[in-house]
Amino acid sequence: MADFKKSVVYQIYPKSFYDSNGDGLGDLKGITRKLDYIRSLGADYIWMTPFFVSPQKDNGYDVEDYYNIDPRYGTMEDFEELSREADRRGIRLMLDMVFNHTSDRNQWFRKALAGDPEYKDFYIFRKGKGPGIPPTNWESKFGGSAWEYVEAFDEYYLHLFDVSQPDLNWENPRVRAEVQKVLRFWMDKGVKGFRFDVVNLISKASFEDDFEGDGRRFYTDGPRVHEYLRELNEATFGTDSEIITVGEMSSTTLENCFGYAGEDSHELSMVFSFHHLKVDFMGNEKWVMVPFDFQKLKNILYTWQTEMANHRAWNAVFWCNHDQPRVVSRFGNEGKYWKESAKMLATVIHCLRGTPYIYQGEELGMTNAHFTSIDQYRDVESLNHFRILQEKGLTEENAYQILQIHSRDNSRTPMQWTDGPEAGFTGGTPWIQVNENHDRINAEAELADEDSIFHYYRRLIELRKTYDVIAYGDLEPLDIHHPSVMAYKRNWQQEKLLVVCNFYGKELTWQAGEDVAEYSCILGNYPQQQRDGGSIRLRPYECMVLYRKG
Ligand code: GLC
């Protein structure tokens, strides 16, 4: 059985990882070439975002053909080679399965639009409420109405995301059977991990207007979602105990996650939840500029940590992915304390109870893109909101400021391999601009420097494998209301771990509430920790991991 509690997952956004043929887009062969790099970091799994045939309106999250590789990324032979080479290095592959919706170019949707009733029922078509009035007032997550009118039927189809991403109708057993078929196909190729995209949106509760929000309460964690997941588990990955699964849970609740990722619930191995990453939003509104709320961040992380443990359910723990801005720019300090703050943030995540996910470049401390012109942006969500923000009356300058903070393109700039042209990502012109700071932040330099962020991540992964308390211990939050320190304890049998992190640039003394003389420091981001009895001196963004046995 794969011990996912001792494992770490490395996420690759293939388009931006490594380009092997000079066309400006990363590809599967590029990933194969960089396997030794991932191995030297120590990750156990590689999660790759979708590389199936797709018109790439949403960078592959709009799947046209689930059984074939998009030629932009390579061939099935390339995939098989990657799989073999990864296996040789003890690395397993995790595929990204997008089953809430397809691309509008998927043959199922084409047949639906051609009027084939069997395939029309693969999607969610509804009559409008009147001429020009969609069935409900729900908003698409990428902006605008969630319904698109089809004249030939005088009906609308639902798309919770882009208009080119129609939602599948999971009520239809044929849809569920097709989804199972896709999973079995990839399982037969030896795939040992699946990530399920926005999978808690697959069961729509009822189609009514939402006068309190954007409609999400009518389709999030819907009435049949647990049943669908159990069915999927039983029919596919549940038959292979080596497979690990993670569900992306959009705007979910704790109670639902007890089920999604419960030890005995036969749904998924673990969940991504996002509440801790909304602490720089205003409610659910992401397109604003507000400082992050540190207290809220701690409260949310601690609630999820302790409640999931109490219900024997498992979290995926992370700061970064291809939808989030870079964490060092977001909750750390890109300037003077770049290195210290990147290491501190890594420590917080990797010592939590849960399986850590590292997003490509995070282990180098890659920062936000700092794009200044709309031509530099590629992401459909960013482009839509740049327009919407200005329609709402914001100046262009304000709209740019907001994009610079929240755009998903912040994390999609090419991986910074070297200080050379295009950061060593491609011999051609990259599909999205390389961050200028690659002269300073790049893998080559960090591999050569023992004190780098890369080597710090490597040590964190090692710790998880060495100390059972990190993988299995329970978590006890400490000094919850401290205005700048996040500290917690982990306990497992005779082992204790004390993690202390200063989230800000000011030096301070923190009282541990116990004598820490018996603890040894197994990791920190400054040389020589300063502690005396129960007092710990913390320099700017300083963190330390203290350990004792017995
Ligand atoms: C998930 C993906 C995101 C994608 C969306 C629609 O949130 O992570 O990149 O745009 O689903 O598939």
Side-chain angles (χ1 to χ4, degrees):
M1 161 101 178
D3 189 358
F4 55 80
K5 300 187 176 175
K6 284 233 167 202
S7 300
V8 173
V9 184
Y10 186 83
Q11 184 195 348
I12 289 181
Y13 199 65
K15 203 175 237 179
S16 300
F17 191 61
Y18 185 64
D19 174 17
S20 73
N21 62 358
D23 66 357
L25 300 173
D27 43 48
L28 294 182
K29 269 196 189 322
I31 300 175
T32 307
R33 290 216 195 144
K34 295 294 184 184
L35 283 171
D36 284 331
Y37 170 81
I38 295 162
R39 188 178 138 110
S40 67
L41 184 63
D44 307 274
Y45 287 84
I46 299 174
W47 153 28
M48 290 165 290
T49 59
F51 45 68
F52 313 106
V53 175
S54 157
Q56 304 286 327
K57 287 268 174 51
D58 187 21
N59 280 342
Y61 283 94
D62 43 334
V63 181
E64 177 173 339
D65 176 358
Y66 292 97
Y67 296 97
N68 282 295
I69 312 274
D70 195 299
R72 277 169 271 222
Y73 293 122
T75 61
M76 194 57 90
E77 286 67 46
D78 295 342
F79 174 79
E80 282 159 0
E81 185 193 13
L82 167 60
S83 174
R84 259 193 326 271
E85 289 300 318
D87 207 54
R88 277 205 320 130
R89 291 165 176 84
I91 299 172
R92 310 204 131 173
L93 303 183
M94 177 186 267
L95 263 52
D96 202 328
M97 293 298 175
V98 190
F99 291 137
N100 175 68
H101 45 266
T102 68
S103 159
D104 58 358
R105 299 249 300 262
N106 191 293
Q107 53 154 338
W108 302 334
F109 195 69
R110 292 184 199 218
K111 288 182 189 167
L113 281 190
D116 183 334
E118 192 176 322
Y119 285 97
K120 230 184 124 191
D121 198 32
F122 267 48
Y123 295 89
I124 301 172
F125 283 90
R126 289 285 184 282
K127 287 276 175 221
K129 279 189 305 203
I133 309 173
T136 71
N137 65 354
W138 301 355
E139 283 166 37
S140 148
K141 300 210 182 248
F142 292 164
S145 168
W147 296 95
E148 180 71 6
Y149 184 62
V150 179
E151 207 179 330
F153 306 145
D154 187 27
E155 281 177 346
Y156 293 76
Y157 68 84
L158 180 69
H159 62 90
L160 295 181
F161 294 88
D162 190 58
V163 52
S164 64
Q165 295 166 296
D167 279 53
L168 281 167
N169 173 21
W170 276 68
E171 294 274 326
N172 180 350
R174 284 214 45 204
V175 166
R176 308 204 300 274
E178 288 292 343
V179 162
Q180 292 172 12
K181 225 170 95 188
V182 173
L183 284 177
R184 278 193 221 101
F185 175 84
W186 291 104
M187 280 167 62
D188 287 346
K189 294 215 171 278
V191 170
K192 293 294 181 198
F194 293 109
R195 178 238 187 213
F196 293 101
D197 191 58
V198 292
V199 74
N200 66 326
L201 309 184
I202 57 179
S203 165
K204 278 72 177 171
S206 65
F207 295 92
E208 44 186 298
D209 280 337
D210 189 352
F211 298 109
E212 289 167 23
D214 59 6
R216 67 183 68 192
R217 65 201 173 100
F218 294 116
Y219 57 75
T220 304
D221 300 322
R224 297 185 67 188
V225 61
H226 295 282
E227 172 198 333
Y228 293 155
L229 286 175
R230 280 194 299 271
E231 182 187 81
L232 199 61
N233 176 315
E234 202 185 312
T236 61
F237 52 82
T239 58
D240 181 347
S241 62
E242 283 186 10
I243 293 184
I244 71 166
T245 53
V246 55
E248 186 200 24
M249 302 303 173
S250 164
S251 301
T252 189
T253 65
L254 258 170
E255 290 68 26
N256 275 290
C257 289
F258 301 157
Y260 295 139
E263 232 170 77
D264 306 315
S265 40
H266 305 288
E267 295 184 31
L268 304 171
S269 317
M270 62 188 113
V271 283
F272 290 120
S273 65
F274 297 90
H275 301 281
H276 67 295
L277 296 175
K278 295 186 178 177
V279 296
D280 54 1
F281 286 19
M282 238 149 65
N284 277 325
E285 184 49 52
K286 149 170 166 174
W287 301 99
V288 291
M289 239 182 348
V290 293
F292 87 96
D293 184 336
F294 177 54
Q295 188 60 53
K296 201 165 159 191
L297 178 70
K298 286 198 283 183
N299 294 349
I300 294 170
L301 282 174
Y302 286 149
T303 307
W304 279 77
Q305 285 284 303
T306 49
E307 286 299 307
M308 289 290 273
N310 289 344
H311 291 82
R312 298 198 300 142
W314 196 250
N315 281 306
V317 288
F318 69 104
W319 293 126
C320 298
N321 67 28
H322 62 291
D323 295 327
Q324 302 292 332
R326 293 285 180 180
V327 71
V328 68
S329 308
R330 190 176 195 180
F331 302 144
N333 177 307
E334 274 188 10
K336 188 164 172 205
Y337 298 112
W338 164 71
K339 196 191 263 189
E340 289 78 5
S341 64
K343 290 180 178 178
M344 181 278 289
L345 290 162
T347 307
V348 171
I349 287 296
H350 284 254
C351 293
L352 289 176
R353 177 185 176 277
T355 301
Y357 283 66
I358 300 170
Y359 175 67
Q360 65 181 49
E362 176 187 341
E363 76 283 9
L364 305 175
M366 274 179 63
T367 67
N368 279 353
H370 301 294
F371 287 157
T372 49
S373 155
I374 197 64
D375 311 331
Q376 294 169 295
Y377 286 93
R378 298 287 176 270
D379 171 31
V380 56
E381 183 197 44
S382 305
L383 299 175
N384 285 349
H385 280 279
F386 185 65
R387 179 179 41 78
I388 291 169
L389 285 169
Q390 290 176 80
E391 280 164 15
K392 282 185 178 158
L394 267 79
T395 62
E396 193 179 279
E397 198 189 332
N398 280 153
Y400 273 126
Q401 285 169 332
I402 294 177
L403 246 55
Q404 279 166 6
I405 296 173
H406 290 294
S407 167
R408 305 194 297 179
D409 281 337
N410 282 312
S411 56
R412 297 177 180 184
T413 61
M415 177 74 177
Q416 295 167 204
W417 294 105
T418 69
D419 63 2
E422 310 303 352
F425 160 70
T426 178
T429 308
W431 69 280
I432 187 170
Q433 236 170 3
V434 167
N435 194 314
E436 282 169 9
N437 62 22
H438 68 274
D439 58 343
R440 191 164 55 82
I441 303 176
N442 64 73
E444 195 174 54
E446 295 206 25
L447 281 166
D449 171 11
E450 268 302 307
D451 184 45
S452 66
I453 299 170
F454 176 89
H455 285 292
Y456 192 89
Y457 270 85
R458 188 175 56 68
R459 282 184 206 109
L460 278 169
I461 297 174
E462 248 167 46
L463 291 187
R464 171 165 295 262
K465 307 212 180 288
T466 314
Y467 296 95
D468 283 349
V469 63
I470 299 184
Y472 309 119
D474 63 19
L475 185 140
E476 189 189 326
L478 300 175
D479 205 356
I480 298 178
H481 299 291
H482 194 288
S484 36
V485 173
M486 176 157 185
Y488 57 82
K489 221 164 148 174
R490 306 284 313 274
N491 308 291
W492 171 252
Q493 297 176 347
Q494 297 303 303
E495 296 182 65
K496 290 195 183 335
L497 195 80
L498 179 61
V499 181
V500 188
C501 300
N502 180 3
F503 256 78
Y504 291 90
K506 256 173 79 181
E507 196 163 329
L508 57 96
T509 302
W510 184 73
Q511 301 299 336
E514 67 175 306
D515 189 345
V516 292
E518 296 292 306
Y519 285 82
S520 54
C521 180
I522 55 173
L523 192 66
N525 60 352
Y526 276 85
Q528 268 117 42
Q529 283 66 38
Q530 302 168 0
R531 47 196 168 106
D532 177 19
S535 294
I536 299 178
R537 191 80 189 141
L538 293 172
R539 287 159 281 191
Y541 295 96
E542 181 161 7
C543 66
M544 59 187 75
V545 183
L546 306 176
Y547 174 82
R548 75 176 275 189
K549 196 162 184 171

